[in-house]
Amino acid sequence: DASLNTIYCKPKDADNDWLIDFGGIAKWKASGYQTYLPVTVGADTFHYQDQWGCSGQVRLAKGEDNLCMDVSGTTGKKYDKGSILHVSQCPPPRQDHKEEETTDWIAPPTGAGPIRLRFHYERCACISVGQNDAEDGDRELEVGMPIKLDDCSGDISERCQWIMPPTTYGSILSGLNPKFCLGYSQDEDSEGRQNLELVLCKNNRKHKWLTPCPGVPPESNPHQLSGSGVLTRKVRPRFCVEKDSECPDNLICSAQDGICKTVEQDSSDEEGEE
C-alpha cells in the first residue's frame, strides 16, 4: 500500500511478482509469498520517512542569530504566489503543532523535490527567474536570484526542486543546477529582511542549513526522484584506522574519531572544535 506497511498478494496468481528497490542501489525480487532479502525489513535496519516526519523548521546551521526560513506576504496574505522568502528569528519550540506557523516546512523525504509550506501544501519554495516565471523559465540561473513561494499543486517546475543534504546538516542544492545553493542576502531590504537567494555552492561554508529530516545520499537516489515517502537503510558509522583506511570511495578516515566521513564533514567537525 501507499504507506509501505503491507504488500497485497493475489492467491495463485502470476501477478504476485514484485520488486523492492532500496534507494536505487540494491534490488531484491520476490515471487508469490516468499521474499529473498539478506536482512529483514525492521526498525533496527530500515526506517520509513514520510512527509510529516520531515516537517519542521529549516534553520541556518551557523551563527548565534537562530535564524529560520520564513515567508512574508505581498498583499496582506502570507501564502500568496510570489511571496518573498527570507530568514527570521526562529520561534520557540511548541508542543501543539496544529497552529499555523510560517517557519514550518516539509522537506522532501527522498532527499530531492519541493520544499513545501507545511500548512499550505500547494505552496513551495521556488527560484524566481524573472517577472513572469512561466515565460522566463528557460533563463539560466544566476547568483542573487530571489526565492519566492509558487504554486506546486500540479506539475512542479525544476525551479522548485531542491536536493537536500544527506544528513540533517549541509547545503541545499538547486535541482535545476546543483552548482547553485539556497542562501540568503547579506543586505536587508526596505522592510529590514534578509531575503533568500541563490548562491554558488563552491567554497561557500556560510549557507549551511539544519533540516527537519536527513536527505538520501546522491548515490542512493541517483535520479533524484521525489516522493511523499521513502524506505531507507539506516546509516551506521563505518570505523577505520587512519594508516589503513577501508573507507568507501569519496570518504576519508577521520583522524579525530576514526570514522569514515566526507571531507566536508571532517572539516566542519574541526571548525566546531576551534
Side-chain angles (χ1 to χ4, degrees):
D1 61 4
S3 63
L4 298 183
N5 289 325
T6 307
I7 297 173
Y8 294 97
C9 297
K10 300 177 182 179
K12 299 180 181 180
D13 197 313
D15 293 337
N16 283 333
D17 289 344
W18 46 276
L19 177 73
I20 296 181
D21 183 344
F22 293 113
I25 293 295
K27 299 180 181 180
W28 295 280
K29 284 188 175 181
S31 178
Y33 304 99
Q34 186 175 8
T35 60
Y36 300 93
L37 296 174
V39 291
T40 58
V41 180
D44 293 336
T45 315
F46 296 91
H47 65 88
Y48 179 63
Q49 194 164 278
D50 63 7
Q51 58 191 16
W52 305 119
C54 288
S55 299
Q57 296 173 342
V58 180
R59 292 171 170 254
L60 280 173
K62 299 273 186 178
E64 300 176 355
D65 292 332
N66 195 31
L67 297 177
C68 277
M69 180 174 166
D70 198 355
V71 59
S72 293
T74 53
T75 58
K77 296 181 180 180
K78 297 179 181 178
Y79 314 114
D80 288 341
K81 181 179 176 180
S83 295
I84 296 171
L85 271 63
H86 58 92
V87 290
S88 68
Q89 291 289 321
C90 300
R94 293 179 319 207
Q95 297 297 325
D96 181 11
H97 292 281
K98 294 182 180 179
E99 182 181 347
E100 289 191 8
E101 182 61 66
T102 56
T103 54
D104 279 351
W105 300 85
I106 301 175
T110 62
I115 303 175
R116 297 178 180 270
L117 197 55
R118 178 177 180 181
F119 292 98
H120 290 264
Y121 190 75
E122 75 284 357
R123 294 284 187 255
C124 63
C126 300
I127 303 166
S128 179
V129 295
Q131 292 185 348
N132 190 327
D133 288 324
E135 294 180 0
D136 298 335
D138 294 333
R139 181 180 167 190
E140 290 188 5
L141 298 185
E142 301 173 2
V143 170
M145 282 184 167
I147 313 299
K148 298 181 179 180
L149 275 191
D150 210 330
D151 180 47
C152 289
S153 58
D155 292 336
I156 302 175
S157 168
E158 287 186 312
R159 298 182 296 101
C160 310
Q161 304 277 355
W162 302 93
I163 301 172
M164 308 303 288
T167 63
T168 55
Y169 163 82
S171 299
I172 299 177
L173 284 62
S174 165
L176 182 57
N177 187 338
K179 80 175 184 179
F180 292 97
C181 283
L182 180 66
Y184 67 99
S185 172
Q186 301 302 305
D187 301 319
E188 297 182 350
D189 65 8
S190 58
E191 310 245 343
R193 302 171 301 200
Q194 289 178 278
N195 297 330
L196 297 190
E197 63 180 21
L198 279 188
V199 297
L200 284 175
C201 302
K202 186 178 181 181
N203 299 326
N204 197 333
R205 295 176 178 268
K206 190 168 186 178
H207 299 96
K208 304 290 185 184
W209 300 87
L210 295 173
T211 58
C213 65
V216 177
E219 61 270 15
S220 297
N221 189 3
H223 300 293
Q224 301 300 338
L225 301 176
S226 62
S228 59
V230 62
L231 186 66
T232 60
R233 186 185 293 273
K234 284 189 174 180
V235 177
R236 296 184 176 179
R238 183 162 182 172
F239 297 96
C240 57
V241 179
E242 186 177 13
K243 293 182 179 180
D244 184 23
S245 175
E246 296 181 353
C247 295
D249 293 341
N250 301 323
L251 296 181
I252 62 171
C253 187
S254 172
Q256 185 178 3
D257 49 20
I259 294 177
C260 296
K261 295 182 177 181
T262 64
V263 175
E264 185 180 66
Q265 288 174 329
D266 194 43
S267 300
S268 299
D269 291 342
E270 291 177 358
E271 284 184 358
E273 284 195 347
E274 293 175 1

